[in-house]
Amino acid sequence: MGKKLIGFGSLAAILLIAGFIFFRFYFVFGEGVKAGELNFVVYKGYVFKTYEGRVIQAGFGKGKGANAGAIQSYEFDFSITDKEIADSLMRCGGKTVELRYKEYLGALPWRGKQKYIVDGIVSVRE
């Protein structure tokens, strides 16, 4: 009886840990498109070399007082897992781009530093 209980408890713990890891690192929480001026794309890392990038999105801020309606920028930091997409974006610095991305709840070191992973280029404009 005790061995069965330990076996069942161990199996339940393994399933809970596997479920947590799946939902934290592999479950796609959201998908979408972000547009803005491509600031940079770099290939960096100590152990795991990954492609990292940033898009600057300009817009009008909301708020009260002196800052109401002021122009403010938002930085969208992302990682890229596909080398071809990264190479294409490296040639687009300073251009307005629309990028398709997936959002995960957590980042993995070999996938990149960010929880946003760009998986496609929708458009590039001067």
Side-chain angles (χ1 to χ4, degrees):
M1 179 85 166
K3 287 185 178 183
K4 284 185 179 181
L5 188 59
I6 291 172
F8 180 72
S10 299
L11 180 63
I14 290 170
L15 289 175
L16 281 173
I17 291 169
F20 172 79
I21 290 171
F22 172 77
F23 281 107
R24 179 79 180 164
F25 300 108
Y26 294 100
F27 175 73
V28 177
F29 179 69
E31 296 181 67
V33 174
K34 293 264 188 179
E37 183 178 322
L38 183 64
N39 192 348
F40 65 83
V41 173
V42 295
Y43 184 62
K44 66 180 184 177
Y46 292 111
V47 177
F48 297 104
K49 296 280 190 187
T50 59
Y51 294 99
E52 307 294 328
R54 176 178 293 155
V55 166
I56 306 296
Q57 299 174 294
F60 291 100
K62 56 184 177 181
K64 297 179 181 177
N67 293 334
I71 294 177
Q72 96 183 38
S73 64
Y74 172 73
E75 296 177 350
F76 174 60
D77 293 322
F78 58 88
S79 298
I80 308 165
T81 56
D82 188 330
K83 184 181 181 338
E84 289 181 23
I85 293 172
D87 288 341
S88 295
L89 286 175
M90 282 184 176
R91 295 186 297 274
C92 296
K95 296 180 181 176
T96 300
V97 296
E98 288 183 67
L99 304 174
R100 189 178 63 238
Y101 70 93
K102 292 182 180 175
E103 178 182 358
Y104 296 90
L105 298 175
L108 291 169
W110 53 87
R111 190 168 62 194
K113 284 178 49 178
Q114 308 302 324
K115 62 181 185 176
Y116 299 102
I117 307 297
V118 168
D119 63 353
I121 301 169
V122 177
S123 70
V124 176
R125 296 185 302 271
E126 292 295 325

